[in-house]
Amino acid sequence: MTTFLELIDLDVAYPPRKVIRDLTLRMSHAGIGCLLGPSGCGKTTLLRAIAGFEPLRHGSIRLEGIELSRPDWTLPPEQRRIGLMFQDLALFPHLRVADNIAFGLRDWKTGERRARVVELLKLIGLEEYAGRYPHQLSGGQQQRVALARALAPRPRLLLLDEPFSNLDVTLREDLAREVRTILLREGTSGLLVSHDQFEAFAFADEIGVLHQGRLLQWDSAYNLYHRPADRFVANFIGQGVLLPGRLGGEGRVNTELGEIGGKSLDRGCVAGEQVEVLVRPDDVVHDDDSPLRAEVVERAFRGAEFLYTLKLPSGARLLCLTPSHHDHALGQRIGIRLDIDHLVMFRRDGGGDG
């Protein structure tokens, strides 16, 4: 796959503080990506630098092989053919839906502009709403109109800065999937900024986890979950706890819950080392016949499932997902066993994976 968007050794600063540090990222052509991280990690600043609103202190930004930014020069935003969709949709309340979509096409010929608006209304499924005003639409419909307006000039890349964050969780994920489908149909690459991993999973093929201005891992959702590059990624993606143990022979780990084995990344841990194993809720199986027992100290009902927080005899805690017909009270001791396919471990001293 050819590289579409390339960020090389980027530094972006609001003096005296560096917001983005030594960041390199390569996104595939016609790819759908996401920058994921907690508030204040620099993801919106990075998006603004790609759009041309923030200068670089170091590095280079290229799109389809053409340089857009370097420390001494920045191509103006309006010349980049990059679309933007923000959390604040900024639809014009006095303009009807069709006119909102056509707003960025004022330089187009009248016939071409009308044809493009009709094409986009059909693409977003709002043909019958062309004459309505934004306040007459639902939140999801307003999102689709904002998307159509951003796509109208046929940008090479669409940047989305947490556009779904004001919606409820279920609608947010549904709309993320819907926007992904629309971008693929339109043949436009997209890069989303989000703090919500499930939104990122629904939207993107490639996801970058940012922390304190650094890109920790750029990878598929599957690899972020099963092969996290470091402790922060392991903790941020999915839920889990780090269970102390000692690495034995053949890559197996001796823990309070017995010996644990599975597919492991070989990154230098050696037998005898003190390690911590990442244990996720789906790795802990409720089993009444197991001799291993843990106390229920918290429970969260999720409809089809319970998420239990369990305390081991040592005081260590685990999370466990069980079908909701397994209804256990606080303080009850239940049988558990581990079923781990992907073994992710970290040195006890805070080093990398084993």
Side-chain angles (χ1 to χ4, degrees):
M1 252 182 220
T2 57
T3 298
F4 175 68
L5 175 67
E6 193 171 19
L7 314 180
I8 306 168
D9 297 329
L10 295 194
D11 284 357
V12 183
Y14 299 134
R17 186 173 71 94
K18 274 189 181 181
V19 181
I20 302 296
R21 308 159 183 244
D22 306 319
L23 188 145
T24 294
L25 181 156
R26 290 174 176 86
M27 182 171 147
S28 304
H29 182 69
I32 306 291
C34 178
L35 299 169
L36 180 67
S39 297
C41 71
K43 54 190 185 294
T44 293
T45 297
L46 182 56
L47 209 69
R48 288 176 56 82
I50 296 169
F53 297 131
E54 300 293 344
L56 303 184
R57 292 286 295 273
H58 186 270
S60 174
I61 297 175
R62 297 175 179 270
L63 186 64
E64 295 184 307
I66 299 171
E67 191 168 51
L68 303 183
S69 296
R70 59 178 184 263
D72 58 346
W73 177 80
T74 300
L75 184 70
E78 64 273 14
Q79 297 179 27
R80 297 188 173 214
R81 287 191 59 200
I82 292 178
L84 297 167
M85 185 176 172
F86 296 107
Q87 180 177 339
D88 178 6
L89 301 178
L91 295 177
F92 299 108
H94 62 289
L95 295 182
R96 299 177 191 274
V97 165
D99 295 325
N100 264 286
I101 295 172
F103 184 80
L105 306 178
R106 286 167 293 179
D107 295 335
W108 288 36
K109 294 179 181 178
T110 301
E112 293 175 347
R113 184 168 63 246
R114 287 176 179 168
R116 180 62 172 155
V117 170
V118 169
E119 178 185 16
L120 287 166
L121 283 168
K122 183 176 181 180
L123 184 67
I124 64 174
L126 294 178
E127 300 101 311
E128 67 271 31
Y129 295 87
R132 296 196 184 183
Y133 290 96
H135 73 271
Q136 296 174 307
L137 305 178
S138 69
Q141 289 168 338
Q142 291 179 16
Q143 295 279 346
R144 291 197 286 273
V145 174
L147 173 65
R149 184 179 63 182
L151 290 174
R154 300 188 189 278
R156 294 181 292 177
L157 171 67
L158 180 64
L159 305 177
L160 304 99
D161 189 1
E162 303 207 52
F164 317 125
S165 60
N166 290 330
L167 303 175
D168 67 69
V169 174
T170 302
L171 182 57
R172 191 184 306 165
E173 292 179 35
D174 289 345
L175 198 56
R177 279 188 287 269
E178 187 175 334
V179 169
R180 170 187 169 83
T181 299
I182 290 170
L183 288 176
L184 291 173
R185 287 176 182 167
E186 185 71 4
T188 301
S189 294
L191 185 60
L192 171 73
V193 155
S194 178
H195 62 272
D196 184 325
Q197 60 183 290
F198 298 109
E199 181 179 294
F201 293 168
F203 181 81
D205 302 307
E206 298 174 294
I207 300 169
V209 178
L210 273 72
H211 179 53
Q212 296 180 345
R214 297 185 184 277
L215 181 66
L216 303 182
Q217 189 170 354
W218 176 256
D219 218 326
S220 66
Y222 181 90
N223 283 341
L224 290 175
Y225 189 88
H226 290 293
R227 298 181 177 181
D230 65 11
R231 288 168 178 267
F232 182 86
V233 177
N235 287 324
F236 191 75
I237 300 296
Q239 295 174 298
V241 298
L242 292 169
L243 184 67
R246 182 183 293 273
L247 185 59
E250 300 181 352
R252 302 183 71 81
V253 182
N254 296 305
T255 74
E256 181 180 1
L257 295 177
E259 193 176 64
I260 303 174
K263 298 175 186 176
S264 176
L265 299 178
D266 182 9
R267 295 189 180 174
C269 290
V270 296
E273 277 196 272
Q274 296 286 339
V275 296
E276 292 176 313
V277 178
L278 177 65
V279 180
R280 300 199 186 274
D282 49 309
D283 296 327
V284 182
V285 179
H286 175 30
D287 183 353
D288 289 326
D289 296 326
S290 172
L292 296 172
R293 296 278 153 175
E295 179 187 352
V296 176
V297 292
E298 292 180 25
R299 47 181 257 155
F301 182 66
R302 298 187 169 183
E305 298 170 320
F306 272 108
L307 177 64
Y308 289 111
T309 302
L310 306 175
K311 186 170 73 172
L312 302 178
S314 68
R317 298 193 174 200
L318 297 176
L319 297 173
C320 175
L321 274 176
T322 71
S324 61
H325 60 270
H326 290 285
D327 186 3
H328 299 290
L330 296 179
Q332 186 175 349
R333 298 180 64 81
I334 64 173
I336 59 170
R337 59 181 171 81
L338 294 184
D339 185 10
I340 297 180
D341 288 329
H342 293 80
L343 189 59
V344 178
M345 69 182 103
F346 302 92
R347 287 191 180 94
R348 230 25 168 339
D349 61 6
D353 303 51

